Amino acid sequence: MQAMCELNYAHILRILPDCDTEELNYVFTVGDALTYEIKIIESARYTSTLSLKQTSDDMPSYLTPSMTVRLYHDARMAEVINSQNTGALQPSYEYPNLKMRQRNEKQMVNIFLAEWLDFCRKLRPKVTSLA
């Protein structure tokens, strides 16, 4: 898990080199139909918090991926702290549980982030808006 968080941090820095500046909003377009928004919602000396979401006119918002990622600049790690607006993720869950989360839910969303960042890095998205 730690190695994955370190890899995610490195990939985010390649996409957003100035991710320590608060209130920046990036819109990336990959191909013709995929649009992603990354917003820096909080920035402090040792941490930054990003909101990542796919924006699509064709799909309802509850089906589009969204997550909140915390960057730890001193440790050089990026960790998903919230996915699909479900609240803070615990390191692991007893199973079964009331929300029917997988035992390794946090690890799974961090793997998803790694795959998404790798996808973006390979396709070299262009920044269509920087506000």
Side-chain angles (χ1 to χ4, degrees):
M1 178 78 167
Q2 186 174 358
M4 184 180 318
C5 291
E6 290 171 353
L7 180 66
N8 286 345
Y9 183 86
H11 286 262
I12 287 173
L13 286 186
R14 285 190 191 132
I15 295 171
L16 306 174
D18 54 351
C19 65
D20 57 351
T21 307
E22 194 170 354
E23 300 298 326
L24 286 179
N25 188 25
Y26 296 86
V27 177
F28 294 96
T29 302
V30 179
D32 294 333
L34 292 174
T35 304
Y36 296 94
E37 179 181 271
I38 301 177
K39 183 183 291 187
I40 301 172
I41 54 178
E42 181 184 14
S43 184
R45 185 174 181 180
Y46 297 110
T47 63
S48 296
T49 306
L50 310 177
S51 167
L52 289 82
K53 65 180 177 179
Q54 179 181 338
T55 56
S56 174
D57 295 334
D58 306 7
M59 206 176 299
S61 62
Y62 64 88
L63 290 178
T64 56
S66 67
M67 63 185 71
T68 305
V69 178
R70 171 103 8 100
L71 303 179
Y72 301 96
H73 300 298
D74 54 345
R76 304 188 55 78
M77 296 175 70
E79 171 187 31
V80 177
I81 58 174
N82 182 343
S83 178
Q84 299 301 108
N85 298 318
T86 59
L89 293 167
Q90 301 297 318
S92 64
Y93 294 93
E94 294 292 324
Y95 194 82
N97 55 63
L98 293 175
K99 294 184 179 180
M100 292 306 292
R101 294 196 177 177
Q102 297 295 316
R103 289 181 192 267
N104 61 345
E105 186 93 12
K106 187 167 194 150
Q107 181 179 8
M108 291 170 59
V109 295
N110 278 287
I111 290 171
F112 175 76
L113 175 62
E115 291 173 351
W116 181 77
L117 291 170
D118 190 50
F119 167 78
C120 286
R121 196 175 53 82
K122 285 180 181 175
L123 293 180
R124 300 185 188 260
K126 58 183 176 181
V127 179
T128 56
S129 169
L130 174 64

